[in-house]
Amino acid sequence: QKEVEQNSGPLSVPEGAIASLNCTYSDRGSQSFFWYRQYSGKSPELIMFIYSNGDKEDGRFTAQLNKASQYVSLLIRDSQPSDSATYLCAVKGSQGNLIFGKGTKLSVKP
Amino acid sequence: KAGVTQTPRYLIKTRGQQVTLSCSPISGHRSVSWYQQTPGQGLQFLFEYFSETQRNKGNFPGRFSGRQFSNSRSEMNVSTLELGDSALYLCASSSDPGSNFFYEQYFGPGTRLTVT
């Protein structure tokens, strides 16, 4: 069974700090990696995707991928209270579907 | 461009009944995937349809079924409802599921199903 693991949190950071969210996956053949943000009572919203080793930056968000270590991370710089949500890591499995972690709950304190 | 739409948004059913949920993907997207989300299990993959064909299926019992129409709209059906089927059912659309890489999925608002 292919798995995606995330620390459930909650992860609490002060406003303006960097939030670091981590994810590991078991399928070494995975090639596509995604981060979704889900506010309470809402559906997941795609915020980042990454396919190559290294860093990918988009505004305050940076996704980092290390395929050798089977590790994906999401950094949120200058965290805002509006970033408080559950962050879901997803990996495209070898069978073609997305496999989701259970999410890390982030709380940004003003 | 309109996003993914799902109907109905909320549904209350009784054990033993059946239910049909509908999903309209983003215009031009031909792939529709369905997920079940519960607090305990998280997001679990049900099945994916592309060009009216089921391409992939998760580990759910046969009571869960789906189909896709020629306009890419999709429906999922759950027969003989059980209390444990209470969940948020999410539909996601994607433009190119055949690619190894480009598989960004965009979710609809979901249907909240409560089974009593």
Side-chain angles (χ1 to χ4, degrees):
Chain A
Q1 176 74 0
K2 309 302 182 186
E3 293 183 343
V4 176
E5 300 284 345
Q6 294 181 255
N7 188 320
S8 62
L11 173 66
S12 184
V13 300
E15 184 175 355
I18 296 175
S20 178
L21 304 160
N22 305 314
C23 170
T24 59
Y25 60 95
S26 63
D27 184 355
R28 192 168 282 278
S30 298
Q31 298 187 61
S32 310
F33 308 87
F34 306 86
W35 284 99
Y36 285 83
R37 176 177 63 199
Q38 187 172 25
Y39 292 112
S40 181
K42 301 293 185 182
S43 62
E45 172 193 9
L46 179 65
I47 54 173
M48 290 286 289
F49 54 88
I50 186 167
Y51 306 121
S52 304
N53 273 332
D55 295 359
K56 179 182 177 184
E57 188 174 316
D58 184 0
R60 296 187 295 112
F61 299 98
T62 299
Q64 299 175 316
L65 173 61
N66 183 326
K67 290 184 180 179
S69 300
Q70 295 175 245
Y71 177 90
V72 192
S73 66
L74 179 70
L75 301 178
I76 306 174
R77 290 182 300 281
D78 188 24
S79 295
Q80 301 297 310
S82 58
D83 295 325
S84 298
T86 297
Y87 289 80
L88 301 167
C89 172
V91 175
K92 183 172 184 286
S94 53
Q95 290 189 316
N97 57 288
L98 286 188
I99 302 168
F100 283 82
K102 292 190 176 182
T104 298
K105 187 170 184 178
L106 172 66
S107 177
V108 181
K109 304 293 186 185
Chain B
K1 200 180 239 189
V4 180
T5 58
Q6 291 187 246
T7 57
R9 294 292 310 279
Y10 302 91
L11 209 46
I12 299 175
K13 289 286 188 179
T14 304
R15 267 183 307 175
Q17 289 185 316
Q18 76 165 16
V19 66
T20 299
L21 312 180
S22 180
C23 170
S24 292
I26 292 170
S27 178
H29 284 193
R30 294 190 294 163
S31 165
V32 173
S33 296
W34 287 91
Y35 295 85
Q36 181 195 67
Q37 188 174 35
T38 59
Q41 297 300 316
L43 261 169
Q44 292 188 288
F45 173 72
L46 282 156
F47 28 66
E48 179 198 5
Y49 285 87
F50 178 74
S51 291
E52 303 179 64
T53 301
Q54 188 181 88
R55 291 175 60 95
N56 214 339
K57 188 177 189 307
N59 295 323
F60 277 81
R63 300 185 296 107
F64 292 83
S65 63
R67 59 177 175 168
Q68 187 179 34
F69 302 94
S70 58
N71 62 357
S72 294
R73 189 177 72 85
S74 177
E75 289 181 348
M76 69 162 280
N77 183 277
V78 188
S79 63
T80 319
L81 284 165
E82 300 177 359
L83 294 178
D85 296 333
S86 294
L88 180 65
Y89 289 88
L90 291 158
C91 155
S93 79
S94 174
S95 60
D96 186 7
S99 166
N100 256 343
F101 293 91
F102 303 104
Y103 196 59
E104 298 97 80
Q105 287 191 336
Y106 299 90
F107 283 87
T111 295
R112 173 76 60 184
L113 172 65
T114 302
V115 182
T116 61

